[in-house]
Structures are given as C-alpha cells and as structure tokens.
Amino acid sequence: MRLKGKTKFDYILEVLSMLDKQPQLRQDLDEVARLLHISPKELNHLFIDWCGTPPAGFLQFTSPEYARFVLKSNPAQGFLFDHPFKRKKELSKPVINIIPMSVEQIQSDRLIIHYSMANSIFGTLFIASTSLGICYMAFSEDEDKEIMMLKQNFPHAHIRHQPEEIQERALAAFQPGKSTDHPIPLHVKGTDFQIQVWRALLTIPLGTLTTYQNIAKKIGSPRSARAAGTAIGDNPVTYLVPCHRVVRTSGEYGNYMWGSERKLAMIAWEGAITRGKD
C-alpha cells in the first residue's frame, strides 16, 4: 500500500489513538479505515505486514482483559520468571547484560559517547554507546534534544555522531528470531536500586507481562513497589530493558515514557508474534 509519507507504525499509532477516544470503533474497522483515508483492504494488509495479524486479531492483545489473562497464566509471576507459561512460539532473543557505570567513569573527561539515529519497528531511535556498551536508547526524532540530555547526564563526556557495531547489534533485538550470537552489553548510569530493578526487567520473557509489585518482590523488597515503579520509569535503554512489559495489577497498561500508545502497540505486537497463528 502507499503510505502517503507515513510509516506503518504511524498508522498503528493513529488506530490506537482513535480507538482510545472512540472505543465503539473496535466494532467497525471499515470506519477506522475510512477515517485514516485508506481502504479496509489496505488497513488489513498494513497490520498483517507489520505484525503478521489482521487488525481484529491484533486488537485482542490491547485490552486489560488480555493483560490480566497473561498475568494469571504465568505461574512464575512474583518469583524468578524461570518458567514462563507456554507460548505458541519460542523466539530467540539477545543476551543482555548490565554493566553499571562507575562514578569515576561518569566524571571522567576521557569518556567518549558515540550516537546514531535509526529506524525501528516502533519508530525512530536515538542510540548512544560507550566503549563498553549501550548507555542510552530512546524513541525520538529530535536529535538535538537527545544530545542535550546526554550532556546533562554526562557533562564531561565527548559526544560524537558515529554509528557503532554495538548499536547495530541493539537494532537486531527488534527482530525476534534473528541470530543472536553476540550478547549486548549495557553500560548505564544508575543507583544500586535502579540497577537491581533494571536487571529484574531483563528477566521478563518476550510476550510476557508482570506487575510493579512483582518486580519489587523479585528484588527482595516487596514493599517498594512505588520506588520500583519510579526506577522503571527512569530506564535509560528502551526496549532492550523491557519496562514496557510491566503493567498494573488491574491489567491497565499504564503510562510510558515514550507514549502510552507506543507501549500498547509494543505489548500487542509481542502478543501477536508469540501467540498469533503459526
């Protein structure tokens, strides 16, 4: 289909925004297509191309009922996520390790950060890395804004536009099933508590969801769900550290630093590729 200057993901976000404001349109996808100025056939092909599932199939993964089903179905919730509930598809994923950045590294004027901009299935990415690993990754089209953020967080660093092999490796994480021979190290700035929380997020399998309370339990601090939620919101490496897989106990998907509709799309996409038709 002709995308009329938009990406497929742009259309996905428009559909989710439209359905959030007018939930009754879930029952009339032809009208959704008309409001997007495309045909129902084009809408159908758009979703199939993007996630392998028609619109109606995709939308089943966007409801609180689905989130509650996933939370209830996973026997490992609140423990170590060692035995996630069986899914229709087991997809390989990269091994991701967190290397905490030391105070000396943060304050050193020898710290060099290279960055690049790239396209992903969920929108434009700003990716930054040190010699030891990815230090920052965000959904953003505003290069200047992200450079300013890096300068605020690493005031002594030398920041340069330069794509790196580790950045290319990070992009492979958006293609489940692709060969993942090399681990992806993350070299991030954070408190001991934040690092604990972010490492806990890495244990949530693709296509699975958990709650803020369960993350707090996993790090051995069951009463710190609110603090864990704050640390989750401070995650500096989107998607690789899957903070989008944390939802409220009610099944509501909640807020997301890079947009609630993007979070909804990410969860539904993962549901579609792990539970959709083989």
Side-chain angles (χ1 to χ4, degrees):
M1 64 173 287
R2 291 171 296 177
L3 298 179
K4 303 173 184 177
K6 300 178 184 177
T7 67
K8 293 172 185 175
F9 188 62
D10 289 333
Y11 279 103
I12 300 298
L13 290 182
E14 281 192 52
V15 170
L16 293 176
S17 177
M18 192 181 298
L19 296 181
D20 180 56
K21 296 170 184 173
Q22 304 178 68
Q24 73 278 6
L25 288 178
R26 283 176 174 266
Q27 309 306 318
D28 191 355
L29 294 177
D30 285 357
E31 176 64 9
V32 170
R34 187 189 70 78
L35 292 170
L36 290 174
H37 307 291
I38 60 177
S39 70
K41 184 177 180 180
E42 286 177 318
L43 181 68
N44 193 62
H45 283 308
L46 188 152
F47 273 85
I48 291 174
D49 289 347
W50 187 72
C51 66
T53 304
F58 175 81
L59 292 175
Q60 70 178 320
F61 301 116
T62 65
S63 68
E65 290 77 19
Y66 167 70
R68 289 195 291 269
F69 166 77
V70 175
L71 293 173
K72 184 178 179 180
S73 299
N74 187 354
Q77 288 297 326
F79 299 95
L80 296 177
F81 304 107
D82 288 333
H83 306 286
F85 65 95
K86 188 176 181 180
R87 300 182 295 282
K88 287 188 177 181
K89 299 179 183 177
E90 292 293 337
L91 300 171
S92 62
K93 64 177 184 177
V95 174
I96 299 172
N97 302 309
I98 291 180
I99 305 169
M101 198 175 286
S102 69
V103 174
E104 290 76 18
Q105 289 170 328
I106 295 168
Q107 296 178 346
S108 173
D109 59 7
R110 293 193 298 272
L111 179 64
I112 298 174
I113 297 177
H114 291 153
Y115 76 88
S116 62
M117 304 288 288
N119 295 321
S120 81
I121 193 170
F122 303 120
T124 304
L125 282 167
F126 180 96
I127 314 174
S129 57
T130 70
S131 61
L132 296 181
I134 300 293
C135 64
Y136 180 73
M137 189 164 80
F139 292 109
S140 176
E141 297 181 0
D142 192 335
E143 183 176 339
D144 291 339
K145 175 185 174 183
E146 301 307 327
I147 293 172
M148 184 62 65
M149 189 287 308
L150 285 178
K151 289 180 177 178
Q152 289 174 352
N153 280 280
F154 307 103
H156 304 291
H158 301 277
I159 300 169
R160 303 167 183 166
H161 180 274
Q162 182 174 313
E164 296 282 2
E165 188 271 338
I166 183 63
Q167 297 167 11
E168 290 295 324
R169 232 188 293 167
L171 291 173
F174 293 86
Q175 304 172 55
K178 187 173 181 179
S179 176
T180 54
D181 297 332
H182 302 288
I184 301 175
L186 308 182
H187 189 209
V188 295
K189 173 184 176 181
T191 65
D192 290 344
F193 182 80
Q194 287 174 323
I195 297 296
Q196 274 189 294
V197 169
W198 299 337
R199 282 177 171 155
L201 295 177
L202 293 177
T203 66
I204 311 172
L206 181 73
T208 302
L209 301 173
T210 193
T211 65
Y212 298 96
Q213 288 83 353
N214 284 334
I215 291 296
K217 289 177 184 177
K218 180 171 175 58
I219 64 172
S221 186
R223 296 184 180 180
S224 63
R226 185 178 295 275
T230 299
I232 290 168
D234 290 335
N235 168 29
V237 183
T238 187
Y239 197 74
L240 295 185
V241 179
C243 54
H244 63 281
R245 296 177 192 156
V246 184
V247 299
R248 296 170 182 164
T249 305
S250 65
E252 296 292 334
Y253 288 14
N255 297 323
Y256 186 56
M257 184 186 301
W258 297 283
S260 57
E261 275 132 11
R262 193 188 307 269
K263 178 177 182 177
L264 186 60
M266 292 164 76
I267 291 173
W269 181 82
E270 293 183 351
I273 66 170
T274 57
R275 295 185 184 80
K277 289 186 178 181
D278 293 311

